Amino acid sequence: MTDTEARPTYKYVGTRPIRHDGLDKVTGKARFAADLNMTGQLRAAITRSPHAHARIVSIDTSAAEAMPGVKAVVTGADFPEIDIADAIHDEAVNNIARDEVLYNGHAVAAVAATTLAQARAAAAAVKVEYEELPAILSIDEAIADGAPLANPTTRTLFTGDTEPSNFASIGQFERGDVEAGFAAADVIVEREFTTVPVHQGYIEPHACVADCGQDGKASIWASSQGHFAVRSKTAAILGWSTDRIKVTPAEIGGGFGGKTTIYLEPIAVRLSQKAGRPVKLAMTREEVLRATGPAPASKISLKIGATNDGELTTLAGTMYYSNGSTKGFSALTGAMSVASYKFPNLELHAIGTVDNTPKSAAYRAPSAPQAAFAVETLVDEIAQQLGMDPIELRLRNAVVEGDPTAMGMPHPKIGFIETLEAIKSSDHYNSPVPEGAGRGFATGFWFNIGEQSSATVNLNEDGTATVITGSPDIGGSRASMALMAAEELGLDVHRITPIVADTESVGFTDITEGSRATFATGMAVVNACRELIEKMKERAAVIRGVDVDQVAWIGGAAVIEGPASEGNEPLTIADITAQAKMTGGPLTATASLNAAGAGPSFAAHLADVKVDEETGQVTILRYTTAQDAGTAIHPAYVEGQMQGGSAQGIGWALNEEYIFDASGEMENASFLDYRMPVASDLPMIETIIVEVPNPSHPYGVRGVGETGIVPPIPTLANAIAAATGVRMTDLPMSPPNVLKKINEK
Amino acid sequence: MRYAAPTTVDEARDLLTGNPGSRVFAGATDLIPQIRAGRPEPSVLVDLKRIDQLVSITESDGRWTVGAATPTSALTGNDAFTAAFPGLSEASGLIGSDQIQNRSSWGGNLCNASPAADSVPALVANDARAVIATGDGTRTVPVEEIVTGPGQTSLADGEFVVEFEVDAPPAATADAYLRMIPRTEMDIAVAGAAVRLTMDGDTCTAASVVLGAVAPTVIRVPEAEAALVGSTLDDDTLAAVAAAASAACDPIDDKRGTVEYRRQVAGVLAKRAATIAAERAGGAS
Amino acid sequence: MISRTHVHCTVNGDEVDFLADDATSLLDALRDELGLTGAKEGCATGDCGACSILVDGAVNCACLMFAAEAEGHEITTVEGIADGDHLHPLQQVFLEEAALQCGICTPGVLVSAKALLDHNPNPTEAEIRYALAGNLCRCTGYDKIIHAVQEAAVQLNGASK
């Protein structure tokens, strides 16, 4: 079901063709990084820290080097020292430890050998002498008075401090008069919420193959969300210029933000350089969970005031977010994501902390789900206390174009109201709540971003086309690129081949993140197609011997207009390309841009849940999501993003968590005990695509990848409250935690 | 490490007794991850699945004999077996995904000696016996005597379970197994309860109540059994069953559950399983 | 010292011979010895199903089998599901219904779904969900996968009537 504002009629945009890369993926031919094999390839393995925090006293690699099949061993000493002020410092140190190990699982050394078994055996034989240091394992420990330093290289962002600190960042947003706002409020609700780290949970472990030649140049095949970033980061960590590295994107088996950072490539390149052979380096699942990813833990104290007639007047609070072992922006991003309601009075303190858990990484709408858990739970309680319908309360306070976000910047054109209305008129909302169940509702918001993209469109001799971009395709974006090119050119979508090219074959393109690929890279594709159309009009003018201003592009063909139209049939793309040699050569166009005007996307979710009050188990009976996509280029993959985001949010809400023992070792580093939703845990996820076009994009696209993960946590918390009367404030809402709250009732 | 696939029990016995540090396997669903995680490798891996006797299900004169390496999918797919032992069939079918079901076996589930093994409480509730190949013959022991603690069994070096025997239940008798996991699949039991009841009309005349995942080994709960026998499974009885089950627990706090949670939920599962077993046995509860 | 075993089996209809380290999983043998990289390693502990294959028609995790165990068996991987240049209905419906995003779980899901439909041509939604519970997908929320399996079942039943 799609709610659509009046818009132009499109021939291709908005259809659901079979994706171009689909066949390879259903037949097993698609090549992910770990599927690649080079002649003479070695396999590599990493030695990881068994301590959460320790000084590296010494590393003895001699025994490992002497083992059968071993061709190269590297440690932190094989990489250049990087100044702590350098932007790449934290990621460099996260790739391989230098003076200190900062979390259990931190890479210390790596081995390349003829076989994987040999590499693993040798990695285990690297002798590291550690001097254990006090480990900080939580936000509370990090901020405690006199707490030892988790990472001596951390300086607090935005403060100018030059001394090391466990505070990663300190920020504040204010508007209006919070004190007066609460004084005038009729209803005030206040709670503290905590969340634990969760992993992105992509099914493909990180992997790459690196081949460094004797000329000092390296080729890398990597699964990443941005191969240009793999190039620049690898070069920076190695101290190389970027021209020494070529990165070819392999198919990527899920990222969700977690493959915007790198972990393996510099190590694989150094091993390959030392061994003079290609090296494949892939993580195990245990390594993925111990040493990559997570979304940050948080602790949020929030207070909201409202008037009896349902105006949300005042919001105040403090948001702590952990960044894991290095500094980061997670707290700031969390506070920034508080942007759904007008709140004339607002005061938010955003404090990031550092500890000895894995360095946190982006995860789909980073930091927003934690904040939404707090805000949307309290808004639900206000609706409950005022006896108002939860959607009506939100409609009364929803931001529209021009209203400020927490940062103060005005929202551009947005579709929050339309999204709320979509749920209000849904079949689900208008059906009775099942016997014994509870219904929960909540909303979410994400900014989305633009950034830099490049695209080249080549017309082939027979009038088919190739669309070349630099945006790794995670969820079907190649099909979206082809659809937009099809619409522009008037060419059947399956006469267009969309590909993602290596770093030497297409212009620079930023990472696939911030829901930007279809928006920004799509815009580059559109621009390139428009340039091609101008060129084709010129060629048509030459062919027909008319002035170019007499040529129009209509329905995928050059149409001669005016007096010369008589007897001149329209020239199709194939007609024009067939004569390209005589009219000026091949037809190709390239466009690059730094996209502005990313369209924020709102989502609203509705869930019916049943809670077993004797076991604490939550069963989701029905789940509906509505989200503003701007324009859905390929609606099936928009729905897929909404459903996938919902499922991840549901997992985060109910059962996913990092469990650390007292020493900081992750106890559940497996898919058995890191409990992501399985098929039998979920109902169908009903989708309503709302389309309020983004005026900054030629087709009105808003990013859709991220917002879907924001509402599920409060949606389920509110549903559990409706079912049981118990307000869940700590994640996960797993059976033991839910039962504990029920027992306390 | 060497792989061997004997086709007779004698051949397997010779491999085990002739090679110190060797071990048998059926599904290897735990063994392979353990080896990958760096556990010491066995000298010889003895694959039991090529021995016909170990992969078979037979019924004769009211006695079911199940080979120790028989995949649990063969049990859940066996209608006559499932009709006779609905709870034991359910418990067997809960060991992992369909992929695992084609590998997992009673022998492996038991001899891994995990306190959380799903099939074991139901085997014990049905008084199942294990036939063990010894150095020079076989011995038959009750299943509940095999596991002595987490990862520990009473099997001597070189011994392995050949098959299980379980007698078809008497009239008006049925079993049920319930477990608690955080998801709906793919988890290890946080608590499990198997109950077998014999009913005379509405009245319970015999009861077995066995819990899993709440103590170092599966445990019988005689107090719960006593509460059930002679009752009509009224609310007070079920409350007593739950209380007795909770009290019998000796659980641990770990990543899968807390002591308090396991204790409380074991009671809930025991009373619910009792209700299901009574219904199956023809009682009116 | 790891010894090696000569293995003779059928893979996707072809008889193959290979030499397996006795500690090697069938997944590693398929991927590294036989060049069949359709089955993926997502966890190597049997918890994600990305390596699902059929052994004599029964779904298994290739990561939980020793390669040597394949002796004499018929192995089917995702590469063996299509019939020449005709996709299996499941493959075709997965494409049409957009039942994949990143595609890393897709080979295992297809193999599991095929095992289900081979044994149960008319599964309910709940049966499909439990049959695929051993196949983690992190992209789709399973919705379109379940719909696709339902549609493939309809098509297969239609074709067999």
Side-chain angles (χ1 to χ4, degrees), chain B residues 128-145:
Chain B
R129 299 168 298 279
V131 178
I132 296 165
T134 63
D136 53 3
T138 62
R139 61 188 177 100
T140 301
V141 298
V143 164
E144 59 195 296
E145 291 175 15

Side-chain angles (χ1 to χ4, degrees), chain C residues 44-55:
Chain C
T45 52
D47 297 307
C48 79
C51 66
S52 296
I53 57 163
L54 302 180
V55 180

Side-chain angles (χ1 to χ4, degrees), chain C residues 11-29:
Chain C
V11 177
N12 298 331
D14 296 331
E15 290 193 31
V16 300
D17 288 87
F18 63 95
L19 212 51
D21 278 358
D22 282 357
T24 294
S25 71
L26 180 57
L27 176 62
D28 287 345

Side-chain angles (χ1 to χ4, degrees), chain A residues 42 51 55 62 79 100 136 144 203 233 258 363 440 474 505 567 632 742:
Chain A
L42 304 174
H51 304 294
R55 192 172 70 82
S62 56
F79 298 83
E100 287 187 8
I136 302 282
I203 306 300
K233 289 175 175 188
Y363 181 21
I474 308 180
S505 306
I742 289 172

Side-chain angles (χ1 to χ4, degrees), chain A residues 97-153:
Chain A
R98 311 295 159 90
D99 305 323
E100 287 187 8
V101 288
L102 298 170
Y103 55 91
N104 183 305
H106 198 165
V108 177
V111 179
T114 312
T115 70
L116 182 56
Q118 289 170 336
R120 286 186 175 151
V126 172
K127 292 195 189 88
V128 187
E129 189 188 334
Y130 296 100
E131 176 194 331
E132 279 197 71
L133 298 169
I136 302 282
L137 298 175
S138 68
I139 290 170
D140 286 339
E141 286 174 39
I143 64 177
D145 282 343
L149 285 174
N151 176 351
T153 69

Side-chain angles (χ1 to χ4, degrees), chain A residues 558-681:
Chain A
V559 177
I560 313 302
E561 295 187 314
S565 64
E566 195 74 17
N568 273 332
E569 289 296 305
L571 290 163
T572 64
I573 296 177
D575 294 335
I576 295 166
T577 54
Q579 301 193 48
K581 190 172 180 183
M582 282 80 77
T583 58
L587 283 146
T588 179
T590 292
S592 290
L593 50 78
N594 184 11
S601 176
F602 282 85
H605 290 196
L606 190 67
D608 295 346
V609 308
K610 219 164 193 161
V611 180
D612 184 330
E613 298 218 15
E614 289 188 315
T615 65
Q617 189 144 42
V618 175
T619 304
I620 302 172
L621 304 176
R622 188 171 184 186
Y623 202 98
T624 301
T625 159
Q627 186 174 327
D628 179 13
T631 298
I633 301 296
H634 193 308
Y637 288 103
V638 171
E639 292 162 3
Q641 290 293 325
M642 293 165 67
Q643 291 163 335
S646 299
Q648 284 188 315
I650 289 167
W652 192 340
L654 295 184
N655 278 310
E656 293 181 34
E657 60 180 320
Y658 274 49
I659 303 171
F660 294 106
D661 72 9
S663 77
E665 180 175 352
M666 187 181 179
E667 292 189 290
N668 59 331
S670 73
F671 275 152
L672 177 62
D673 288 308
Y674 183 83
R675 302 185 185 98
M676 310 201 306
V678 301
S680 48
D681 292 339

Side-chain angles (χ1 to χ4, degrees), chain A residues 120 284 612 614-617 655 659 667-668 671-678 680-681 735-736 739 743, chain B residues 36-37 180-188 190 254-258 260-261 264-265 268-269 271-272:
Chain A
R120 286 186 175 151
T284 63
D612 184 330
E614 289 188 315
T615 65
Q617 189 144 42
N655 278 310
I659 303 171
E667 292 189 290
N668 59 331
F671 275 152
L672 177 62
D673 288 308
Y674 183 83
R675 302 185 185 98
M676 310 201 306
V678 301
S680 48
D681 292 339
L739 189 63
N743 287 341
Chain B
R36 271 190 71 134
M180 177 63 211
I181 55 171
R183 292 180 288 188
T184 54
E185 255 286 11
M186 304 304 291
D187 281 333
I188 305 292
V190 176
D254 72 359
K255 61 192 173 191
R256 292 173 186 148
T258 60
E260 303 77 50
Y261 185 74
Q264 184 172 352
V265 169
V268 172
L269 298 177
K271 73 174 181 183
R272 289 182 181 179

